[in-house]
Amino acid sequence: MGERYIDVSYDEDNGIRLGDAFRVVGKHLLVCLLAAATLGMLTFAYTTRQITPHYQSSFTVYITNRPANQQVATESPTTNYLSSGDVDASSALANTYAFIFESSEMVSRAVKGAGLDGYDSRILDGTLVATKVEQKTPLVTVTVTADSPQDAYDIAVSLIDIAPDYISGIIKESSMAVVESPRVSTTQSSPSLLLNTVAGSLVGFVVAALVVVGKDGKNKNVGSKEELKERFGIPSVVDVGELLPLLPRHASRTIGVMDVDGKGLAASNAIALATSFAARGARVLLIDCDVSSDACSKALGARRFGGLTDLLLKHGQASEVVQEVGQGIDFLASGRPIDGFGRRVQDERMALLLRGFEKSYDYVVAVVPSALSDDSALVLADLFGKVFLSVCAGKTRKADVAETLRRLRLADVQIVGFIYGERHQRAGHVPLHQR
């Protein structure tokens, strides 16, 4: 029992591959977009209703180390008459002026001078007034941030009014001149509705993506060929060139291609194999043994009825139901669904049919249904000399692969290898001609 048993721990790998994560997000893209839109709207509503908007008003002053009565013009200062030493001294004074403009004492006086109240906490935490000193020039830009455009403007004007007298009491030999006057703002400086809305939407999308990836993006599907071989010790092939060394070199070659999850992947792979064998000059018979699906007939554009089940019920001869495909391929459809199909394939009739086909063709390629859903799958797999399991990277569930192999091993059916495919691969259409 131990040699035939295989556990399903292959499904316990909960890592997340980057490709799987992107595929899951793409699959649930609508959910992620809805989450982004919802959180974006909530952020917009919260920003407009719960956050107090702020407005700014700024002015720029020129600082000089000379008293006001020695300047050419206070409103339009010039440095033509100043020496380089005066400019350096004025630049050094600019930092002192910036500190005084931000001091709580001066800001408090400016607020009172503007006849305003309600800014006590902003004065204490130093967020009402901010300054910026230009490098290598004695220019100081003062920015007032208040709860309304008019408040910001009034405080800025009040600062300009009280600054000369207040600062002259601290620094005797200096003066300032207004270079750019304050203005009433027409737009709020913060918060930014656009930035907050975009940030909220982005957070909503990322959170939704993480949720769907955490839920569905775990490493539950088949990965690389190397991963399959390492886990099960079974080779994976992607074309007939790799498959040929695994086949016997004598007599007729019968190949079963089994579905794992019943989604028609085996039909596509079987058609591809039959086409490849025929291209090498071989006579090929393609048999659809999956009576629950007509994926093979649809892919070939063939009629489904009149096929394998008719022969099992002895309703006609093989020459009457085999459909001829161009380039050396014949096709036997599954036929009409019948009760007890699993028992029928155990009869001697099925074995006799296969022996007859082996004499007439170089290769017999059969589509075998999934062992997880069809009771005939294990019996059919045992009838063929070589059985390959169809898997699709990123699509076939690892748990299904492990359980299928477990059932096959318990039934003493040996899987030769995996026929490995990518998600984007599809079987091409092959034109049919009636025999």
Side-chain angles (χ1 to χ4, degrees):
M1 181 81 176
E3 296 180 355
R4 295 187 300 168
Y5 178 75
I6 180 169
D7 61 48
V8 293
S9 59
Y10 182 51
D11 190 41
E12 294 175 0
D13 184 359
N14 291 324
I16 298 178
R17 289 188 292 260
L18 185 61
D20 287 339
F22 280 118
R23 280 191 288 268
V24 170
V25 172
K27 179 181 178 181
H28 299 282
L29 184 59
L30 180 59
V31 174
C32 295
L33 291 176
L34 287 175
T38 300
L39 193 55
M41 289 187 292
L42 290 175
T43 305
F44 178 86
Y46 180 82
T47 301
T48 55
R49 297 182 182 183
Q50 301 297 326
I51 301 179
T52 302
H54 291 157
Y55 300 84
Q56 292 181 340
S57 183
S58 301
F59 63 90
T60 302
V61 294
Y62 178 83
I63 310 301
T64 178
N65 67 328
R66 295 189 178 187
N69 57 11
Q70 294 186 21
Q71 293 194 59
V72 176
T74 58
E75 293 299 329
S76 182
T78 177
T79 60
N80 292 335
Y81 69 100
L82 297 176
S83 66
S84 59
D86 290 328
V87 174
D88 291 339
S90 298
S91 297
L93 281 173
N95 290 309
T96 304
Y97 267 72
F99 179 82
I100 295 173
F101 271 117
E102 291 185 12
S103 66
S104 59
E105 179 63 27
M106 186 170 181
V107 174
S108 179
R109 292 189 181 192
V111 171
K112 290 180 180 179
L116 301 174
D117 55 19
Y119 289 100
D120 294 343
S121 61
R122 298 278 301 281
I123 294 172
L124 292 176
D125 61 24
T127 59
L128 189 60
V129 176
T131 60
K132 178 184 178 182
V133 180
E134 299 296 331
Q135 293 183 353
K136 299 182 180 181
T137 57
L139 292 172
V140 178
T141 299
V142 181
T143 301
V144 179
T145 304
D147 296 342
S148 71
Q150 191 62 45
D151 285 0
Y153 174 79
D154 291 343
I155 296 173
V157 171
S158 181
L159 282 170
I160 294 174
D161 292 341
I162 68 173
D165 292 337
Y166 181 81
I167 296 176
S168 63
I170 301 173
I171 308 173
K172 301 297 183 182
E173 300 297 325
S174 69
S175 61
M176 73 175 203
V178 177
V179 176
E180 186 175 349
S181 300
R183 298 179 182 178
V184 178
S185 177
T186 57
T187 58
Q188 66 185 48
S189 59
S190 65
S192 172
L193 289 175
L194 177 60
L195 181 61
N196 285 8
T197 302
V198 171
S201 299
L202 181 60
V203 170
F205 186 89
V206 171
V207 170
L210 290 175
V211 170
V212 298
V213 169
K215 181 180 179 181
D216 298 333
K218 292 184 179 180
N219 193 6
K220 296 180 179 179
N221 297 331
V222 168
S224 65
K225 290 170 43 180
E226 292 73 21
E227 179 184 300
L228 281 170
K229 185 174 181 179
E230 180 181 357
R231 173 62 181 85
F232 298 110
I234 300 174
S236 297
V237 299
V238 294
D239 58 48
V240 71
E242 296 177 299
L243 182 144
L244 285 174
L246 303 176
L247 300 176
R249 297 182 178 275
H250 60 280
S252 297
R253 302 172 185 177
T254 58
I255 304 169
V257 182
M258 176 178 283
D259 242 337
V260 173
D261 48 19
K263 295 183 178 179
L265 183 61
S268 300
N269 287 332
I271 293 172
L273 286 179
T275 303
S276 298
F277 289 143
R280 287 169 167 76
R283 296 169 301 160
V284 183
L285 174 65
L286 176 63
I287 305 176
D288 187 359
C289 297
D290 189 354
V291 296
S292 63
S293 171
D294 58 350
C296 201
S297 298
K298 286 182 178 179
L300 293 170
R303 71 174 189 271
R304 177 185 180 185
F305 300 115
L308 178 61
T309 56
D310 294 277
L311 297 181
L312 292 177
L313 296 174
K314 300 181 180 180
H315 295 164
Q317 301 297 318
S319 59
E320 299 173 352
V321 292
V322 171
Q323 303 174 62
E324 184 178 354
V325 180
Q327 301 179 348
I329 303 176
D330 288 351
F331 173 61
L332 177 61
S334 59
R336 303 176 187 277
I338 58 175
D339 295 332
F341 180 70
R343 295 190 302 273
R344 292 284 182 180
V345 296
Q346 296 182 59
D347 296 340
E348 182 65 20
R349 177 68 174 171
M350 183 68 184
L352 289 174
L353 287 173
L354 286 178
R355 284 197 291 270
F357 291 143
E358 289 173 358
K359 296 177 181 178
S360 303
Y361 296 94
D362 298 313
Y363 291 97
V364 177
V365 181
V367 179
V368 181
S370 170
L372 301 181
S373 59
D374 196 315
D375 60 355
S376 66
L378 297 177
V379 178
L380 285 167
D382 193 44
L383 291 174
F384 295 96
K386 300 290 181 179
V387 178
F388 291 85
L389 200 62
S390 289
V391 296
C392 181
K395 185 177 180 181
T396 305
R397 294 182 69 249
K398 293 162 61 174
D400 291 341
V401 175
E403 178 61 20
T404 298
L405 287 174
R406 188 183 72 84
R407 296 187 184 188
L408 290 170
R409 296 274 176 88
L410 291 174
D412 286 327
V413 176
Q414 182 64 43
I415 292 293
V416 179
F418 295 104
I419 297 183
Y420 181 90
E422 302 291 347
R423 290 173 62 92
H424 63 275
Q425 292 178 341
R426 292 184 179 180
H429 178 77
V430 181
L432 285 179
H433 303 281
Q434 199 66 45
R435 188 168 181 170

